[in-house]
Amino acid sequence: MTTSKFSEKSTADQVLSGVDLKGKRFLITGASSGIGLETARSLVAHGASVVGTVRDLVKAEASTASVLNAAAQGGGSLELLELDLASLQRVRACADMLLASGRQFDGIIANAGVMATPIGRTVDGFEIQFGTNYLGHFALINRIEPLLADNGRLVVLSSQAHRVADVDLVDPNFEHQEYDPFVAYGRSKTAASLFAVEFDKRHRNRGIRAASVMPGNSATDLARHFSQEGLQGLLESVGKARAEAGLPPANLKEIAQAAATSVWAAVVADKDEIGGRYLEDCAVAPIDDTPNPFADGVRSYALDANKAERLWAKSEEMIGAKGTYLCP
């Protein structure tokens, strides 16, 4: 178990206190709001150069003013790049722009995502949450993998919701079963964790380590597909399930606290301790296979090396990757 002086209450700035990131470069997807915005702000405030991907450049220029201000004061920099993870064509265009510049990254933080969306398909026909949260990142990161520096890190945001559902390798797009928004979200976040497991295995020969992160529940616009009543109902269900299991109430984190585990994993943690693991509250999470979807810890299926390998192969097949997509 990783020993950490940080906890669920730590903020991203506290995690990076005294750390000089000048000369370090990071890629963050979904950098214009919520946890991604705070992750970017904290890194640039400590001198890092950040490339932030966003779906809408015009909107992002307004919402990232706080990051630019922090960069000016801390000696870091922010560059925005357009990326729509729900389109393989746009993923490839973004990846190719990064490859053309040739500049390396010390860390990649796969932060962008959608949650509990109504049934929908990406332009390539994938279920929208699996396609956006997982497959888009799978395609992007594998294509730009040569830009990840030796001894670099990949941080993939998972979620406590991975406890709701394992991946479905037979019917990932809900073509033969009834769609459930939260099950789909859970599957996409289990896939995110399994991606980190297999990426870590494939690239640790370069000193690169990958880990998945449960940031903690916080009030971001990720929940925009919930009605006020629906969100209230979810929070009540969480409280009830935790109480029944004898667990303390789940506290909502401030966004600054929710970004802490991402920056801890990307910069501060011992990379060999976190490689291939699932992290929460700035620590390696224990395995907990109780079926309670709102318990802490990680379900063992989200770290299953055999399943991670099978998901990778299925993902290559889904995006037509063999020998074409993943190679620059």
Side-chain angles (χ1 to χ4, degrees):
M1 183 68 63
T2 295
T3 50
S4 171
K5 60 181 179 179
F6 303 110
S7 70
E8 76 278 2
K9 292 192 165 31
S10 302
T11 66
D13 280 346
Q14 285 168 345
V15 168
L16 292 179
S17 178
V19 176
D20 182 2
L21 293 175
K22 286 187 180 68
K24 298 287 185 185
R25 195 161 178 265
F26 297 88
L27 176 70
I28 304 174
T29 66
S32 62
S33 66
I35 295 169
L37 181 71
E38 175 61 13
T39 303
R41 189 208 58 75
S42 188
L43 289 170
V44 301
H46 291 84
S49 297
V50 168
V51 176
T53 75
V54 299
R55 267 187 306 195
D56 185 325
L57 279 172
V58 175
K59 273 191 190 167
E61 275 162 15
S63 66
T64 53
S66 61
V67 182
L68 291 171
N69 187 36
Q73 292 179 21
S77 67
L78 174 70
E79 177 189 336
L80 295 177
L81 203 55
E82 197 167 17
L83 170 65
D84 181 357
L85 286 162
S87 161
L88 289 179
Q89 188 182 354
R90 292 189 176 188
V91 167
R92 184 169 188 148
C94 178
D96 288 354
M97 280 180 73
L98 291 167
L99 287 164
S101 85
R103 289 180 295 163
Q104 290 204 305
F105 292 106
D106 297 283
I108 296 174
I109 302 174
N111 167 88
V114 293
M115 181 173 81
T117 57
I119 180 106
R121 297 270 180 260
T122 68
V123 294
D124 303 289
F126 308 127
E127 185 276 311
I128 201 103
Q129 297 188 79
F130 188 78
T132 304
N133 297 348
Y134 166 65
L135 269 182
H137 279 123
F138 177 86
L140 174 75
I141 291 161
N142 279 310
R143 193 163 175 79
I144 63 168
E145 174 269 320
L147 297 179
L148 190 53
D150 289 355
N151 301 308
R153 303 181 185 204
L154 170 64
V155 178
V156 185
L157 267 71
S158 182
S159 166
Q160 183 180 43
H162 85 276
R163 302 185 61 88
V164 173
D166 194 357
V167 289
D168 185 334
L169 296 176
V170 177
D171 185 23
N173 294 315
F174 285 85
E175 288 161 330
H176 307 292
Q177 62 194 297
E178 191 178 345
Y179 177 75
D180 179 302
F182 217 69
V183 168
Y185 182 62
R187 286 180 184 176
S188 76
K189 290 302 182 175
T190 296
S193 177
L194 291 170
F195 175 41
V197 169
E198 181 67 10
F199 192 93
D200 184 78
K201 186 178 91 178
R202 286 170 177 245
H203 299 292
R204 68 178 72 155
N205 61 334
R206 288 216 283 129
I208 292 169
R209 302 308 302 262
S212 56
V213 160
M214 152 59 174
N217 299 310
S218 59
T220 70
D221 64 357
L222 188 63
R224 62 185 170 273
H225 294 289
F226 283 94
S227 64
Q228 198 54 49
E229 295 83 353
L231 195 55
Q232 195 55 44
L234 176 64
L235 293 173
E236 283 168 13
S237 298
V238 172
K240 190 163 172 244
R242 287 181 68 87
E244 282 169 3
L247 295 166
N251 294 316
L252 276 183
K253 288 187 177 185
E254 299 291 327
I255 291 174
Q257 295 169 327
T261 306
S262 291
V263 298
W264 180 75
V267 176
V268 176
D270 180 324
K271 70 185 175 70
D272 295 325
E273 280 187 52
I274 64 169
R277 314 293 278 279
Y278 172 100
L279 319 173
E280 62 186 359
D281 298 336
C282 300
V284 173
I287 288 173
D288 183 345
D289 275 326
T290 57
N292 185 338
F294 304 114
D296 300 319
V298 58
R299 299 285 294 267
S300 53
Y301 60 62
L303 296 174
D304 183 314
N306 177 266
K307 187 162 281 175
E309 201 172 286
R310 285 161 54 217
L311 174 64
W312 189 287
K314 177 74 175 177
S315 306
E316 285 188 333
E317 182 190 305
M318 288 175 80
I319 65 173
K322 292 219 168 112
T324 55
Y325 192 86
L326 302 184
C327 303

